[in-house]
Amino acid sequence: MYKALSIKQDDIELRLSQIRENFKFFGAPVGMIVTIDKSFAENGWGHVGMFIQNICLSAVERGMGTCLQESWSIYPETVKDILNIPDNEVVWCGIALGYPNKEHPINNYRTSRESIEKFVTFIE
Ligand SMILES: Cc1cc2nc3c(=O)[nH]c(=O)nc-3n(C[C@H](O)[C@H](O)[C@H](O)COP(=O)(O)O)c2cc1C
């Protein structure tokens, strides 16, 4: 990603400034914070994950894009304070939502995908 942005590995200032973009939702017009009740067990977290995935897919269907951001969970107390989130909630992640700027290099960077054989065991 830093390569796509022409940010060199040893350029700490630029790397930090890219990290700080997280806390502006990368300029997206909509920012969401996902919280989960502390009492939820692993299956509950799984359900919320599926809910988040549906938001991402619905966005794409409408020509929009999202960026999931676990970085918001680094500062849970600040996020809770500002948004009046009760203490029984865990701040899990943020979701930036908007129309992608197709000219921006970060939106032309693609991560590779594992082949299906690497994560599925077929039993015949
Ligand atoms: C659960 C989750 C949390 C993420 N948190 C961040 C984050 O805090 N900041 C960030 O820049 N990218 C984060 N990413 C990566 C981007 O959301 C996105 O996945 C990445 O740019 C690669 O795109 P891809 O999901 O199509 O491979 C996160 C991804 C996931 C799945």
Side-chain angles (χ1 to χ4, degrees), residues 1 18 22 26 66-72 92-93 109-113:
M1 184 185 75
Q18 176 58 27
N22 273 286
F26 302 103
T66 54
C67 182
L68 297 180
Q69 300 178 267
E70 264 180 335
S71 42
W72 289 97
W92 180 20
C93 66
Y109 150 79
R110 289 285 169 269
T111 54
S112 58
R113 296 289 184 255

Side-chain angles (χ1 to χ4, degrees), residues 22-39:
N22 273 286
F23 304 105
K24 300 177 198 159
F25 288 102
F26 302 103
V30 176
M32 293 174 255
I33 297 290
V34 179
T35 68
I36 299 184
D37 192 286
K38 271 184 187 156
S39 67

